[in-house]
Amino acid sequence: MKATRHTLILAGAGHAHLVAVRGWIDNGYRPPKGTILLSPDSHAWYSGMMPGLVAGRFTEEECAIELAPLCKACGVELMIGEIATLNAVSRKLKLLDKRELEYDYLSLNVGSVPPQPSLNDGSINVAPAKPFAAFNNHWQAWRGHNDSIQIAVLGGGAAAFELALALHQILPQAQLSLICSGDLLDGYSLGLRKRASKILYKRGIDLRKGTRVDCIAGGWLLSNKQRIQSPDALVIATGAAPQPWQSTSGLSCDNSGFVRVRATLQSESHPEVLATGDCASQPGAFHSGVYAVRQGAVLSEIIPALLAGRTLREYQPQPRSLALLSTADGSALLDYQHFSLGGRLIGLWKDYLDLGFMKHHRLD
Ligand SMILES: Cc1cc2nc3c(=O)[nH]c(=O)nc-3n(C[C@H](O)[C@H](O)[C@H](O)COP(=O)(O)OP(=O)(O)OC[C@H]3O[C@@H](n4cnc5c(N)ncnc54)[C@H](O)[C@@H]3O)c2cc1C
C-alpha cells in the first residue's frame, strides 16, 4: 500500500489538539491543505466529566465532542485510524489497519493508558479507565443485570477515587473496594486526603492502601504472591503509561517511554515532531488534563509559527494547579496548595467549568 504524504498530521484528538483546533477556528488560522486529524474515535471525550457519566449525572452526548464539525470548520480532514508504529527517522506512521502516512510535521497528542498488572490470565473482567469510549462500553457490558457484583478499583489518584464513588452511586448494591499501591491521593493536601477517606468510609467503600496488585490469576488479585481479593470485575485507573510504540519510534523518550519535549513542545531529538498532553515528558508538566489544555493553547500558536519558520513561543508549566474532585453526588472536593474544601457549591462550580469547556469547544 502506497503511503500518503501530508505536510501536517495532528495525531490523537486529545485535550491539547481540541483546544488548538478550536483556537484556529476562532482566530482564522487555516493549516496547510491536506492536514489531517487522526483519531481512533469520531469524538473527543472530556476526562473531567467521565466519572459523572459513570455516576449517571451526564449523558454520553454531554461528555464527548463530535470531531467532524470542528475539522470541517478549519479545513482539516478527519481520518479515523490508530497509530500502530511511528518511525521518526523516515517520518512514517503505520496504522493498525495497515495504511501508511508520511509527514513533514507531526503533532502527537495521543494520551496515555493506565499501567496494568504485569501478569493477567484473563480470569477477571477488567476495564481500563482509558480509552474512555472503550471503558464506557466495557463496564456497562460486565455490569449486565447483576447490580450486586463485587468491583475493585485499582489506583490511588483522583481518577480512581472519583470512579469508585461514581460506581457506588450508580450501583448502590455493588460491593466496592479501592486498592492503591501507596497512600490515597498522594501529593494532595492532608485536609483533602482526610475528607476523601471519610467519604469512602461513609459510603462503605473499602479502602486498601499500600497494596500493589501485580498479578491476576485464577480469579484472584495477587500482591507479592499473596491473594488479596477475588472481585467479579476490576477497574484499572492507575495513572499514565505511554503508548507502547513511542519508545520504539526513534524519538528521544524518558525512562518511562514518554516523548521528551523542549519548552517549544518540540521533540528533543526531532524538532519536526511536537508532543503535548499525557504522551509528552517536560520537566514541571504533570500528566493531567489541566496541563494538556494549557499546552493546547500554546500549541495553537506554535504550529503556525513552526510551519512559517518564525520564532516559537514557549510553554512554561504552571507551578501549581487547582484540583476539583467529583464525589459523584453533585458535590466535589477542592484542593489548592495546602488548602481544601468540599461541598455542593464546589460541585456546582466544577459542573459549571466542565460544561463551559464543552460548550466552548463543541461546534455541532
Ligand atoms: C476517569 C478519569 C478522570 C480524570 N479526570 C481528570 C480531571 O478532572 N482533571 C484533569 O486534569 N485530568 C483528569 N484526568 C486525567 C486526564 O484524562 C488526562 O491527563 C488527559 O486526558 C490527557 O489529555 P491528552 O490531551 O494527553 O489526551 P487525551 O485526552 O487522553 O486523548 C488522547 C487521544 O489520543 C487518541 N489516541 C490514543 N491512541 C492513539 C493512537 N495509537 N493513534 C491515534 N490516536 C490515538 C485517543 O483516542 C484520544 O482521542 C482523568 C483521567 C481519568 C482516567
Side-chain angles (χ1 to χ4, degrees):
M1 198 180 288
K2 195 172 172 339
T4 54
R5 188 161 192 90
H6 304 265
T7 305
L8 173 64
I9 296 178
L10 306 172
H15 293 55
H17 279 165
L18 198 61
V19 171
V21 168
R22 179 69 229 202
W24 293 342
I25 294 169
D26 290 345
N27 69 18
Y29 173 75
R30 295 294 171 264
K33 204 168 174 301
T35 295
I36 58 169
L37 173 65
L38 178 67
S39 167
D41 199 328
S42 59
H43 290 71
W45 293 78
Y46 182 52
S47 60
M49 290 170 69
M50 291 311 292
L53 172 66
V54 173
R57 298 187 57 244
F58 302 118
T59 62
E60 285 185 21
E61 290 70 34
E62 284 174 302
C63 300
I65 289 175
E66 198 184 346
L67 295 170
L70 275 177
C71 288
K72 193 172 170 209
C74 80
V76 169
E77 182 197 334
L78 173 63
M79 183 183 278
I80 301 297
E82 188 167 345
I83 299 173
T85 61
L86 160 62
N87 185 331
V89 177
S90 59
R91 300 189 184 187
K92 260 192 193 167
L93 295 172
K94 278 194 188 154
L95 307 189
L96 282 183
D97 61 13
K98 310 275 186 249
R99 280 178 293 173
E100 292 189 16
L101 309 174
E102 290 175 355
Y103 61 84
D104 296 325
Y105 295 93
L106 172 68
S107 177
L108 292 172
N109 181 218
V110 291
S112 60
V113 287
Q116 303 216 14
S118 42
L119 296 169
N120 181 355
D121 69 357
S123 54
I124 296 178
N125 283 313
V126 171
K130 279 186 161 191
F132 290 133
F135 172 69
N136 197 34
N137 294 333
H138 223 132
W139 85 266
Q140 304 222 38
W142 51 247
R143 168 191 175 184
H145 297 292
N146 178 11
D147 281 5
S148 57
I149 56 174
Q150 198 182 340
I151 306 170
V153 178
L154 280 198
F161 170 73
E162 290 185 307
L163 284 177
L165 292 176
L167 286 162
H168 175 264
Q169 186 76 15
I170 195 81
L171 301 171
Q173 307 300 324
Q175 238 180 297
L176 269 150
S177 59
L178 180 57
I179 306 176
C180 36
S181 58
D183 209 349
L184 176 69
L185 296 168
D186 222 358
Y188 290 85
S189 69
L190 185 61
L192 182 100
R193 284 187 277 150
K194 279 188 178 162
R195 285 174 197 273
S197 300
K198 214 162 147 185
I199 292 171
L200 291 174
Y201 178 75
K202 270 193 179 164
R203 300 204 193 161
I205 299 173
D206 181 42
L207 172 63
R208 188 163 187 150
K209 298 191 273 191
T211 307
R212 176 177 296 281
V213 171
D214 46 28
C215 175
I216 300 171
W220 282 87
L221 305 179
L222 291 106
S223 175
N224 223 353
K225 298 194 178 140
Q226 299 290 316
R227 285 179 167 187
I228 303 298
Q229 234 180 62
S230 55
D232 300 305
L234 179 70
V235 171
I236 302 195
T238 44
Q243 306 289 349
W245 45 264
Q246 287 180 196
S247 53
T248 54
S249 64
L251 294 173
S252 168
C253 290
D254 68 12
N255 289 339
S256 305
F258 296 106
V259 178
R260 284 186 199 276
V261 294
R262 302 173 197 280
T264 54
L265 304 176
Q266 290 170 289
S267 148
E268 281 192 356
S269 56
H270 295 73
E272 68 283 3
V273 177
L274 301 144
T276 45
D278 280 9
C279 71
S281 168
Q282 182 189 3
F286 293 98
H287 291 138
S288 91
V290 173
Y291 285 81
V293 165
R294 296 272 177 97
Q295 288 175 331
V298 180
L299 184 72
S300 76
E301 294 181 30
I302 287 179
I303 290 178
L306 181 66
L307 266 62
R310 296 196 304 268
T311 308
L312 305 186
R313 195 183 145 184
E314 296 192 342
Y315 164 73
Q316 303 297 348
Q318 63 271 32
R320 59 192 71 88
S321 65
L322 177 82
L324 292 169
L325 279 61
S326 150
T327 53
D329 54 355
S331 297
L333 300 177
L334 173 152
D335 189 75
Y336 188 68
Q337 292 186 278
H338 301 298
F339 179 71
S340 73
L341 256 183
R344 181 83 183 120
L345 273 181
I346 308 289
L348 286 172
W349 187 42
K350 176 171 165 48
D351 287 351
Y352 171 77
L353 294 176
D354 287 342
L355 293 166
F357 179 90
M358 297 304 274
K359 191 172 171 204
H360 178 68
H361 290 87
R362 197 187 296 283
L363 212 77
D364 41 17

